[in-house]
């Protein structure tokens, strides 16, 4: 069993034990949840028969009990509704006008209980009270400015808002003696606070929670100050007549159940934003959580102790195996390091210049050959690669050909190193990708091909001179014929002085024969002229016709029929000299192939060479087809290889140079052949220029 499989088994063992721990803790929480739900359910079980309970209430004391949009709401209302759910009561709320009106309705049995009363109101002793349903403090509220003056004893209160019967007389007397203020008695808390907020009084004495709630509702908490947080405490009760003692008893029972289950706190927290209450709830929750955490911690410690013992044993068993794995990894790292060193040496010793750059065109690797080419031995990693004039020139050439992010191969540029030296470079640019096929940079490979091009040009000139000599020998008799005719007429001229028709014939024949000789000589001179490497707008049909006319005398001599088909206004952006030389090479090869086939006695076909030029799907095709000896499959595969030839006196550069011309000018050369049936060689150039634009700026059709 391998180390990794054993480690996987150990991880599964640990995972199983952790799952057991999670299940155990989950079971504890589920039991606690069932206990709470069971307690709450038992506390809230009621009979199915509902008793209608008429509740008298006095509105105007938010957040305890008040009406908003004709709806009765508040802490007392929600508490009583929860009590009704527990005791199976059906509530019917009846508004009362003040405490006296409420007590009278109790006596007249118009209501069963009175909601939200205080024991400071001097009610009659024959009333029974519930446990407190809420508790708060009496506080004094002033504006911020008035509070500062009052605390410094710089100002006294003139008029104070207060709810009727809300504060005991002794408290009122104490406040009156301190501030010397008069009191504006209001019907309820809401009216008292509103009169203060409206600026009718200097301060308000009221229930703190009610004050805070109304300030929060009006969003004016930051404009007022509570001067005294605890002038006196106040408690609210539910009261009833002595005859309804059992109702009060049931209410007290339900309230105790609600406090025990936490439902009381939940209702109170919805209405009372008291920091003290929140602190009490927080302390209680913290105690509960702490107890649960202690139990969980104890279970976890026991489990971890046993798990650690097991893990320690497993770790001791695997230490030796892991050590052997570490040794193997160390050997692998050493091997990788050695391979990297070999790779770096290969790159450094490469005859080609190699530059690796990131997506920001900064150098990440460069070998010595590349440094020599860019004439900057002090170039450093991380520098922008385009600081080199040579690289910048090559990069601009590459962008013109294939765009910024495209790949290219085998392109050549000529660069002036100084005023007298020109160097030629061949470059390849490839994209580098990460494992996720995201581009991470590019690699540029440079070759100085100055000497290679010089040798090729020398061979090209030699081949051209050889063809030129052959052409001169073939058409020399065509030049002698008109010269013989001119000489004969010239010799007869003295004898025909009086013969007017002779001189008319002389003046007609001699200029034509001279023009014929002139045309032949010009064609030879154009062919012998050194080819230009400059790309320009080239008339395809004109070049083809020129080559055909130049080689036509040779073909006529050997009995070869020439078929020519071209299109007008067909242009390419190519090197015209190389194009003409390539076409002459292809025609010469076809002539040689036909002459070779003539040596076969069974050959009875009509000898012909077909030169065609046409357009199709944004492509320009130029084709030379013959019915000569053709090539075998092996010869066809080697046809474009430099110096490969089947002729005894051939150089093997005709098709090679034609293929090179097509590649350098954005085209392609296709060679097709069947032995003893002939050969077809086709130039394919993509993206022809618009024939109407002959200024070198034509666009693709």
């Amino acid at each position: 069993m391998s180390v990794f499989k054993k480690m996987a088994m150990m991880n599964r063992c640990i995972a199983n034990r952790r799952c057991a721990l999670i299940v155990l803790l989950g079971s504890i929480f589920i039991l606690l949840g069932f206990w709470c739900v069971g307690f709450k359910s038992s506390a809230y079980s009621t009979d199915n028969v509902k008793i209608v309970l008429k509740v008298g209430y006095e509105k105007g004391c938010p957040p305890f009990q008040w009406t908003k949009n004709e709806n009765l709401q508040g802490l007392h209302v929600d508490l009583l509704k929860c009590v009704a759910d527990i005791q199976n009561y059906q509530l019917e709320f009846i508004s009362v006008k003040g405490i006296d009106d409420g007590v009278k309705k109790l006596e007249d049995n118009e209501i069963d209980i009175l909601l939200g009363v205080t024991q400071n109101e001097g009610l009659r002793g024959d009333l029974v009270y519930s446990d407190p349903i809420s508790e708060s403090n009496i506080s004094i509220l002033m504006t911020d400015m008035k509070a500062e003056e009052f605390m410094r004893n710089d100002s006294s209160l003139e008029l104070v808002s207060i709810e009727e019967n809300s504060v005991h007389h002794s408290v009122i007397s104490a406040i009156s003696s301190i501030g010397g203020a008069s009191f504006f008695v209001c019907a309820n808390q809401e009216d008292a606070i509103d009169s203060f907020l409206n600026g009718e009084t200097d301060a308000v004495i009221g229930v703190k929670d009610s004050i805070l709630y109304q300030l929060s509702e009006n969003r004016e908490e930051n404009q007022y100050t509570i001067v005294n947080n605890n002038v006196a405490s106040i408690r609210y009760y539910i009261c009833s007549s002595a005859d309804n003692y059992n109702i009060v008893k049931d209410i007290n029972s339900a309230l105790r159940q609600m406090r025990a289950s936490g439902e009381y706190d939940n209702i109170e927290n919805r209405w009372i934003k008291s920091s003290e209450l929140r602190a009490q709830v927080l302390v209680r929750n913290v105690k509960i959580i702490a107890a649960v955490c202690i139990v969980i911690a104890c279970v976890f410690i026991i489990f971890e102790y046993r798990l650690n013992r097991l893990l320690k044993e497993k770790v001791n068993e695997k230490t030796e195996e892991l050590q052997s794995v570490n040794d193997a990894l160390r050997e692998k790292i050493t091997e990788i390091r050695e391979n990297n060193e070999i790779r770096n040496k290969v790159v450094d010793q490469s005859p080609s210049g190699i530059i690796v750059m990131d997506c920001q065109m900064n150098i990440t690797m460069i070998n010595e050959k590349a440094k020599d080419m860019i004439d900057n031995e002090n170039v450093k990693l991380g520098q922008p690669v385009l600081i080199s004039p040579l690289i910048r020139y090559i990069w601009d050439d590459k962008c013109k050909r294939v765009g910024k992010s495209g790949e290219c191969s085998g392109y050549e540029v000529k660069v002036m190193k100084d005023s007298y030296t020109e160097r030629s470079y061949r470059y390849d640019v490839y994209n580098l990708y990460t494992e996720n096929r995201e581009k991470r940079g590019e690699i540029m490979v440079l070759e100085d091909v100055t000497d290679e091009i010089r040798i090729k040009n020398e061979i090209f000139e030699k081949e051209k001179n050889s063809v030129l000599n052959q052409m001169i020998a073939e058409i020399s008799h065509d030049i002698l014929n008109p010269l013989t005719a001119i000489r004969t007429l010239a010799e007869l001229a003295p004898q025909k002085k009086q013969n007017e028709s002779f001189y008319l014939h002389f003046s007609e024949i001699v200029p034509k024969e001279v023009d014929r000789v002139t045309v032949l000589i010009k064609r030879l001179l154009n062919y012998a002229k050194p080819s230009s490497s400059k790309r320009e707008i080239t008339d395809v049909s004109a070049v083809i016709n020129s080559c055909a006319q130049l080689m036509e005398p040779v073909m006529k001599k050997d009995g070869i029929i020439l078929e020519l088909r071209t299109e007008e206004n067909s242009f390419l952006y190519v090197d015209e000299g190389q194009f003409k030389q390539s076409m002459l090479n292809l025609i010469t090869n076809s002539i040689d192939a036909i002459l070779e086939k003539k040596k076969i006695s069974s050959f009875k076909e009509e000898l012909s060479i077909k030169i065609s030029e046409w357009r199709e799907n944004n492509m320009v095709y130029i084709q030379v087809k013959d019915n000569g000896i053709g090539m075998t499959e092996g010869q066809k595969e080697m046809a474009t290889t430099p110096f490969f030839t089947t002729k005894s006196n051939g150089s093997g550069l005709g098709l090679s140079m034609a293929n090179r011309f097509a590649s350098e000018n954005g085209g392609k050369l296709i060679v097709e052949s069947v032995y003893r049936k002939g050969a077809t060689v086709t130039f394919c150039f993509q993206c022809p220029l618009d024939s109407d634009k002959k200024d070198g700026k034509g666009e693709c059709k």
Side-chain angles (χ1 to χ4, degrees):
M1 184 181 294
S2 66
V3 175
F4 298 105
K5 288 184 178 180
K6 292 180 179 179
M7 292 180 66
M9 291 178 63
M10 184 174 69
N11 290 334
R12 285 197 295 270
C13 180
I14 295 172
N16 291 335
R17 285 168 171 75
R18 288 180 176 172
C19 288
L21 176 61
I22 293 172
V23 171
L24 177 61
L25 297 179
S27 300
I28 293 174
F29 282 115
I30 290 172
L31 291 175
L32 289 174
F34 280 139
W35 178 78
C36 292
V37 172
F39 177 81
K40 189 170 182 179
S41 299
S42 64
Y44 284 45
S45 60
T46 60
D47 297 330
N48 293 327
V49 179
K50 290 184 176 294
I51 300 175
V52 178
L53 193 64
K54 297 179 181 180
V55 182
Y57 70 92
E58 183 182 8
K59 59 184 179 179
C61 186
F64 299 102
Q65 55 191 61
W66 87 109
T67 56
K68 183 177 182 181
N69 298 327
E70 304 299 328
N71 293 323
L72 180 63
Q73 59 184 358
L75 170 62
H76 296 166
V77 177
D78 288 352
L79 288 174
L80 188 59
K81 288 180 179 179
C82 188
V83 169
D85 290 339
I86 295 173
Q87 300 297 350
N88 202 24
Y89 289 151
Q90 181 176 342
L91 300 178
E92 179 182 342
F93 290 96
I94 299 173
S95 176
V96 298
K97 299 179 181 179
I99 298 301
D100 294 336
D101 181 45
V103 172
K104 185 176 184 305
K105 281 183 168 55
L106 281 175
E107 292 175 349
D108 296 339
N109 292 324
E110 295 182 19
I111 59 175
D112 298 315
I113 58 173
L114 188 60
L115 181 64
V117 299
T118 66
Q119 289 187 339
N120 294 327
E121 294 160 349
L123 299 180
R124 291 167 47 178
D126 55 350
L127 298 178
V128 291
Y129 292 85
S130 69
D131 294 339
I133 58 174
S134 64
E135 183 175 0
S136 186
N137 297 320
I138 299 298
S139 301
I140 304 175
L141 180 69
M142 303 180 185
T143 61
D144 292 342
M145 183 181 299
K146 195 70 173 180
E148 291 180 4
E149 296 175 354
F150 185 77
M151 296 301 292
R152 294 195 307 264
N153 293 324
D154 292 341
S155 175
S156 60
L157 302 177
E158 296 181 0
L159 186 62
V160 178
S161 301
I162 189 171
E163 179 187 4
E164 183 180 8
N165 296 325
S166 64
V167 184
H168 196 270
H169 292 290
S170 61
V171 176
I172 296 176
S173 300
I175 296 173
S176 177
S177 61
I178 292 173
S182 301
F183 291 95
F184 180 72
V185 180
C186 301
N188 51 55
Q189 285 284 319
E190 193 171 17
D191 293 343
I193 296 173
D194 285 342
S195 64
F196 167 72
L197 295 178
N198 293 331
E200 299 174 3
T201 59
D202 299 325
V204 61
I205 300 175
V207 180
K208 177 182 177 182
D209 291 320
S210 182
I211 292 172
L212 293 176
Y213 187 87
Q214 292 188 69
L215 290 178
S216 176
E217 287 292 304
N218 294 322
R219 298 181 180 180
E220 297 179 350
E221 302 98 318
N222 298 327
Q223 302 179 21
Y224 299 94
T225 301
I226 295 179
V227 175
N228 194 328
N229 268 331
N230 193 8
V231 173
S233 63
I234 184 171
R235 293 181 178 181
Y236 290 97
Y237 302 86
I238 297 174
C239 72
S240 180
S241 62
D243 296 336
N244 291 327
Y245 173 76
N246 289 332
I247 294 177
V248 175
K249 182 179 178 181
D250 291 341
I251 291 173
N252 289 338
S253 175
L255 289 173
R256 295 186 189 108
Q257 292 182 26
M258 291 165 58
R259 286 189 170 92
S261 65
E263 186 64 25
Y264 180 92
D265 294 335
N266 294 334
I267 297 173
E268 188 175 29
N269 289 337
R270 288 202 299 266
W271 296 101
I272 304 298
K273 308 301 180 182
S274 171
S275 58
E276 293 85 352
L277 179 60
R278 287 198 300 270
Q280 293 174 3
V281 173
L282 178 62
V283 169
R284 188 188 66 184
N285 292 338
V286 168
K287 289 180 180 179
I288 295 173
I289 294 172
V292 174
C293 290
I294 291 172
V295 174
I296 295 174
C298 292
V299 175
F300 184 75
I301 290 171
I302 295 172
F303 176 78
E304 281 294 314
Y305 174 74
R306 297 190 61 185
L307 181 61
N308 288 336
R309 287 188 59 185
L310 178 61
L311 288 176
K312 191 173 182 180
E313 294 175 359
K314 294 294 183 181
V315 169
N316 291 334
E317 292 177 3
K318 303 303 178 182
T319 300
E320 294 182 359
E321 296 181 12
L322 291 175
Q323 185 63 40
S324 63
V325 172
N326 289 335
D327 294 339
L329 290 174
R330 195 176 293 109
E331 293 176 0
K332 189 66 175 178
I333 292 172
T334 303
E335 180 183 352
I336 293 173
R337 186 182 296 113
E338 293 175 352
N339 291 337
N340 289 337
E341 292 175 357
I342 294 173
R343 183 194 63 186
N344 293 334
K345 289 180 180 179
V346 170
V347 171
D348 289 337
Q349 299 301 322
S350 172
S352 301
I354 299 175
I355 303 175
V356 181
M357 63 199 83
D358 59 20
C359 293
Q360 286 73 40
M361 302 294 293
N362 296 321
I363 299 173
T364 59
M365 188 180 73
I366 183 170
N367 65 354
E368 294 298 325
K369 190 68 176 178
K371 291 182 181 179
D372 294 339
M373 289 183 184
I374 64 178
D375 296 331
N376 190 350
E377 297 181 355
N378 297 322
V379 67
K380 297 180 181 179
L381 300 181
Q383 290 182 337
V385 71
L386 296 182
I387 62 174
S388 167
L390 172 62
I391 303 300
R392 186 165 57 251
Y393 184 85
I394 292 174
W395 190 260
D396 291 340
D397 183 75
K398 177 251 186 186
C399 292
K400 291 177 182 178
R401 294 174 184 262
V402 297
K404 291 185 177 181
S405 59
E407 297 184 338
C408 60
S409 176
Y411 289 142
E412 293 180 1
V413 293
K414 290 184 178 180
V415 180
M416 295 298 298
K417 301 293 288 186
D418 51 46
S419 301
Y420 306 98
T421 307
E422 182 182 64
R423 306 294 296 180
S424 297
Y425 296 93
R426 182 181 299 125
Y427 66 89
D428 306 294
V429 179
Y430 305 100
N431 294 331
L432 299 177
Y433 298 95
T434 63
E435 294 180 355
N436 298 327
R437 295 302 299 168
E438 295 179 357
K439 184 178 177 182
R440 65 181 182 89
E442 293 176 288
I443 180 171
M444 179 182 290
V445 181
L446 296 176
E447 291 183 79
D448 189 334
V449 293
T450 305
D451 295 335
E452 177 186 335
I453 292 177
R454 178 180 56 79
I455 294 172
K456 285 184 178 180
N457 289 337
E458 291 175 357
I459 296 173
F460 172 78
E461 290 297 326
K462 182 179 179 181
E463 176 74 10
K464 185 174 71 174
N465 292 334
S466 175
V467 175
L468 183 61
N469 291 334
Q470 182 181 356
M471 290 171 55
I472 291 173
E474 297 290 347
I475 67 173
S476 59
H477 68 282
D478 286 335
I479 297 177
L480 291 174
N481 288 336
L483 290 178
T484 301
I486 293 172
R487 180 179 178 179
T488 301
L489 290 173
E491 289 175 349
L492 293 174
Q495 302 174 13
K496 302 290 184 177
K497 291 182 179 180
Q498 305 302 324
N499 191 339
E500 185 176 353
S501 62
F502 171 80
Y503 278 99
L504 290 174
H505 181 68
F506 182 88
S507 62
E508 181 180 352
I509 295 299
V510 171
K512 288 183 178 179
E513 295 299 322
V514 171
D515 291 341
R516 182 180 174 189
V517 173
T518 302
V519 169
L520 291 173
I521 293 173
K522 283 184 177 181
R523 289 174 183 171
L524 289 174
L525 291 176
N526 287 336
Y527 179 76
K529 190 184 300 180
S531 62
S532 173
S533 60
K534 182 179 179 182
R535 296 175 68 179
E536 57 187 351
I537 300 297
T538 302
D539 189 333
V540 178
S541 60
V543 172
I544 294 175
N545 291 329
S546 175
C547 294
Q549 291 174 5
L550 190 62
M551 299 301 293
E552 188 175 10
V554 179
M555 289 186 279
K556 282 183 178 180
K557 175 187 174 183
D558 294 320
I560 301 173
I561 298 174
L562 175 63
E563 298 181 19
L564 191 63
R565 181 172 68 87
T566 61
E567 294 186 2
E568 295 182 356
N569 295 326
S570 181
F571 297 90
L572 284 178
Y573 188 59
V574 296
D575 187 314
E576 183 175 352
Q578 292 181 5
F579 183 27
K580 183 180 294 184
Q581 179 63 45
S582 298
M583 289 299 300
L584 289 172
N585 287 339
L586 296 183
I587 296 171
T588 301
N589 286 347
S590 294
I591 294 173
D592 292 340
I594 290 175
L595 295 178
E596 183 71 19
K597 192 172 182 179
K598 285 178 67 176
K599 297 177 182 179
I600 302 174
S601 58
S602 61
F603 177 70
K604 297 180 180 179
E605 297 179 58
E606 185 182 62
L607 305 176
S608 66
I609 296 176
K610 298 179 180 179
I611 303 176
S612 305
E613 181 262 325
W614 73 94
R615 293 186 181 186
E616 183 179 340
N617 296 331
N618 288 333
M619 296 288 291
V620 172
Y621 297 91
I622 304 161
Q623 188 178 88
V624 178
K625 183 177 182 180
D626 64 71
N627 55 356
I629 193 64
M631 292 178 283
T632 63
E633 286 297 323
Q635 291 172 344
K636 186 174 69 174
E637 291 180 1
M638 298 291 293
T640 58
T641 303
F643 308 109
F644 174 79
T645 180
T646 59
K647 296 182 283 187
S648 59
N649 60 345
S651 65
L653 291 175
L655 284 176
S656 173
M657 296 179 68
N659 185 56
R660 184 71 177 178
F661 156 73
S663 176
E664 290 180 352
N665 290 272
K668 184 179 180 182
L669 184 71
I670 302 175
V671 179
E672 301 173 288
S673 181
V674 178
Y675 185 59
R676 292 197 174 187
K677 290 188 178 181
T680 303
V681 181
T682 307
F683 282 119
C684 305
F685 289 97
Q686 194 174 12
C687 194
L689 295 173
D690 192 335
S691 60
D692 295 332
K693 298 183 178 180
K694 304 177 184 179
D695 57 353
K697 299 180 181 179
E699 297 179 353
C700 296
K701 283 190 174 181

